[in-house]
């Protein structure tokens, strides 16, 4: 028995989730090992390729800035999935909330050229777009996977029409009209990194504070563990799920708005939505790697950003883009497996 009230080593390790940290490190190592085997199978030098990958993501201030730039939008879409997972919801609707946030940045900053107005409207439209899935889940019991997939497709076709229709640039048909200069996120130094990264980190810390240090967050997590027990304790699982969708939608909407308002030098949505597609789906992997914890997601988003930033350097060693993407996909899947296992285990426990 300890004589003082100070926590022991085992308690400290448990508090920082040391086991999850070690599992993630092992998963990263396994992912890189499998990637190395594939590179060898195609007669490429793994040491040379991986050195180039890390050099492309970390070797200079500009490369680090590119890594953080790539990590910004997926950090926010990962928060959407993580908030849902903590509330017992498999919310994959970040993709379409991201689209709505992006178009809100284009539309509303051209009405009133103000940075904060554009960000707020991105958050508002992201949350508004998540509402149908929330209402269907809470009041009709429609599974969120079905409703969010449908919303993703509806959002995609809506945004595709808006890009070539009302918001098409008449002087440049390959993109929408630009976000006005006075509503753009300033870059940090002479890099591609905007202040959006700082805002995204603050958002992750804020989500952590809400989930772990407020009554609302306690209710959301309690509902995620066991709805019947939460209801017995006076918590409304319906309200918890509603807030989960709303806060998640706000995070992805903010990500979409910042993607466009801080994307030097374009500041517009490309035709076909090529520069806004896929960030919501990437966020699922980022969240799983970060164990659905807002602070873990900051690190996992930077890891994903590093993989993206190092792509061109890795290609310069002679590895084709297809192989680079294959290697990165294997690493991501391997690293996400422990988080996916935890999520499935919790889901089975709730269903029992």
């Amino acid at each position: 028995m300890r004589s003082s009230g100070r926590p022991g080593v085992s308690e400290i390790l448990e508090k920082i989730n040391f086991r999850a940290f070690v599992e993630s490190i092992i998963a990263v190592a396994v992912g890189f090992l499998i990637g190395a085997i594939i590179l060898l199978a195609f007669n490429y030098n793994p040491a040379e390729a991986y050195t180039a990958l890390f050099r492309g993501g970390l070797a200079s201030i500009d490369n680090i800035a590119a890594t953080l730039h790539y990590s910004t939008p997926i950090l926010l879409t990962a928060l959407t999935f993580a908030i849902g997972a903590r509330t017992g919801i498999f919310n994959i609707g970040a993709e379409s909330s991201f689209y709505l946030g992006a178009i809100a940045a284009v539309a509303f900053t051209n009405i009133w050229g103000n940075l904060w107005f554009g960000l707020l409207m991105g958050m508002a439209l992201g949350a508004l777009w998540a509402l149908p899935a929330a209402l269907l889940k809470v009041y009709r019991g429609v599974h969120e996977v079905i409703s969010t997939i449908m919303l993703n497709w509806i959002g995609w076709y809506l945004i595709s029409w808006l890009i070539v229709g009302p918001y098409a640039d008449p002087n440049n048909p390959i993109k929408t009209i630009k976000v006005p200069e006075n509503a753009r996120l300033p870059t940090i130094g002479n890099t591609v990194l905007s202040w959006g990264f700082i805002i995204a980190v603050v958002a992750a810390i804020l989500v952590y504070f809400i989930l772990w240090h407020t009554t609302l967050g306690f209710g959301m997590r309690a509902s995620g563990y066991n709805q019947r027990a939460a209801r017995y304790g006076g918590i409304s699982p319906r309200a918890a799920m509603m807030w989960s969708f709303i806060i998640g939608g706000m995070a992805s909407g903010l990500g979409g708005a910042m993607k466009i308002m801080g994307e030097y030098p374009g500041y517009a949505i490309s035709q076909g939505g090529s520069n806004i597609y896929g960030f919501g789906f990437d966020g699922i992997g980022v969240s799983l790697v970060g164990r659905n914890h807002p602070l873990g997601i900051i690190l996992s988003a930077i890891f994903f950003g590093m993989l993206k930033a190092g792509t061109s350097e890795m290609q310069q060693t002679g590895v084709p883009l297809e192989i680079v993407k294959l290697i990165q996909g294997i690493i991501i899947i391997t690293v996400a497996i422990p988080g996916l296992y935890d999520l499935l285990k919790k889901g089975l426990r709730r269903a029992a």
Side-chain angles (χ1 to χ4, degrees):
M1 179 181 288
R2 285 182 291 106
S3 57
S4 71
R6 294 180 179 176
V9 174
S10 61
E11 290 171 293
I12 294 173
L13 293 177
E14 185 179 354
K15 192 169 184 179
I16 63 175
N17 209 348
F18 185 72
R19 182 184 68 84
F21 176 74
V22 171
E23 286 177 356
S24 295
I25 295 295
I26 293 172
V28 169
V30 170
F32 276 97
L33 179 62
I34 296 173
I37 293 171
I38 292 173
L39 285 169
L40 284 171
F42 286 95
N43 295 319
Y44 297 108
N45 186 332
E48 187 180 337
Y50 284 153
T51 301
L53 178 69
F54 284 103
R55 187 170 61 240
L58 304 170
S60 68
I61 295 295
D62 284 341
N63 293 356
I64 293 172
T67 291
L68 300 181
H69 169 73
Y70 283 119
S71 70
T72 301
I74 51 179
L75 194 163
L76 289 161
T77 54
L79 286 177
T80 301
F81 184 81
I83 294 166
R86 291 286 174 184
T87 322
I89 297 168
F90 202 84
N91 183 1
I92 56 174
E95 184 74 10
S96 50
S97 287
F98 192 86
Y99 301 154
L100 270 292
I103 200 65
V106 172
F108 289 99
T109 57
N110 277 282
I111 295 173
W112 185 21
N114 181 278
L115 170 68
W116 298 108
F117 180 63
L119 296 179
L120 285 173
M121 292 311 295
M123 293 169 65
L125 256 66
L128 191 64
W129 192 257
L131 268 183
L135 294 171
L136 287 170
K137 173 71 176 179
V138 169
Y139 293 106
R140 304 301 300 173
V142 177
H143 200 284
E144 64 276 11
V145 171
I146 304 298
S147 56
T148 50
I149 286 175
M150 292 173 66
L151 282 173
N152 285 344
W153 280 111
I154 296 169
W156 175 248
Y157 287 118
L158 173 63
I159 207 81
S160 299
W161 171 69
L162 292 172
I163 291 170
V164 298
Y167 296 107
D169 186 346
N171 300 314
N172 190 352
I174 64 168
K175 58 178 65 174
T176 62
I177 52 176
K178 290 187 175 184
V179 172
E181 286 188 21
N182 54 346
R184 296 172 183 172
L185 280 164
T187 55
I188 299 175
N190 294 318
T191 68
V192 295
L193 180 64
S194 76
W195 283 93
F197 176 74
I198 305 298
I199 296 174
V201 171
V202 171
I205 295 171
L206 184 61
V207 168
Y208 165 74
F209 180 80
I210 290 172
L211 286 177
W212 269 271
H213 296 283
T214 66
T215 305
L216 171 64
F218 175 77
M220 292 166 70
R221 289 188 297 119
S223 297
Y225 280 117
N226 189 313
Q227 287 194 6
R228 278 183 292 183
R231 198 176 290 111
Y232 184 76
I235 295 167
S236 169
R238 284 186 169 185
M241 286 190 283
M242 286 293 292
W243 279 112
S244 173
F245 277 104
I246 291 170
I247 298 173
M250 290 171 69
S252 286
L254 177 64
M258 291 203 303
K259 169 67 178 166
I260 301 305
M261 296 170 71
E263 190 173 54
Y264 175 85
Y267 301 107
I269 303 175
S270 303
Q271 193 178 52
S274 59
N275 62 337
I276 60 170
Y277 179 77
F279 290 95
F281 301 127
D282 286 348
I284 296 173
V286 174
S287 181
L288 290 173
V289 173
R291 298 301 182 93
N292 301 318
H293 191 292
L295 303 184
I297 284 171
I298 297 174
L299 298 178
S300 65
I302 293 173
F303 176 72
F304 273 58
M306 188 272 292
L307 293 179
K308 286 178 179 287
T311 297
S312 60
E313 286 276 350
M314 197 170 172
Q315 278 184 271
Q316 290 176 18
T317 64
V319 182
L321 179 61
E322 292 77 9
I323 301 293
V324 174
K325 294 289 184 185
L326 174 65
I327 302 298
Q328 291 178 347
I330 289 171
I331 293 171
I332 290 168
I333 289 171
T334 310
V335 175
I337 283 175
L340 183 61
Y341 172 74
D342 282 351
L343 191 64
L344 290 174
K345 193 168 66 175
K346 286 179 183 176
L348 291 172
R349 193 184 304 149
R350 279 195 298 270

